[in-house]
Amino acid sequence: MARAVTKADCLAEMKRFFKYYDTYCQSPDPDSVREVLASVYSVNDKLRKAGYPNFFNSDEFLAIKAIRNYAIHQAEIYNEAKALPIVSDVPIEADLIILCLIPIGVIDAICENTNSEGKTAIKNTCIYYKRYVDIYPCIFNFGVQLFLYSENNSLEVDSKVYREFKNSIEYERANNYSHHVVGGFRLPYGGDVDEFIERSLHSVEEKSELQSALYSEENGMFTFKGFS
């Protein structure tokens, strides 16, 4: 007889998700997002088997599930992590710095290999550009959903990354900011967003180096140090 899935099993899987998510944000490689996608699927599976509410009503989960299934069972997704420049010659409006870009042809193939629910979820939660689709807003918003879920179901995770996530959520609550993001970015004074993606995005490593030079960090909160 199979052993019943326990609360401890769920906490372990949730802790794994936040660890993989943090790794992706700090120093991603092509496989790191695959770990995040797989962990999201496993989190839902463990929670469901332990008798907790599942995420089958979440567009973010359904989109991630479709992308994960394709990556595991079909073919590579050729994802590439990029970042908007922290210091830019032109104004940029965005609620996320990181982008997780997948070629639009791959996203089309994923949609062809999933059901209508998954296809709609991808279109509702990801940002479409001319040559790429950014899935990071979907991943980010699922992370928010999972954190709020953990509070509502007494499943708080014992980890530094989780505590940093909590600090961010509490800061947003104190200042009446939205926890979720719309995603995408704009060049409010004009300019071609698709051309900007091709020519002006940075690597996440470059973003991290500049962020460390300009900001001090404590418990997941960043304070501008200024230019020296």
Side-chain angles (χ1 to χ4, degrees), residues 1-5:
M1 177 186 288
R3 183 179 68 85
V5 178

Side-chain angles (χ1 to χ4, degrees), residues 194-211:
D194 293 296
E195 183 179 343
F196 193 90
I197 288 174
E198 297 292 341
R199 299 178 181 274
S200 301
L201 296 183
H202 291 177
S203 71
V204 174
E205 289 81 4
E206 289 171 325
K207 185 272 296 183
S208 297
E209 289 175 8
L210 188 56
Q211 184 170 280

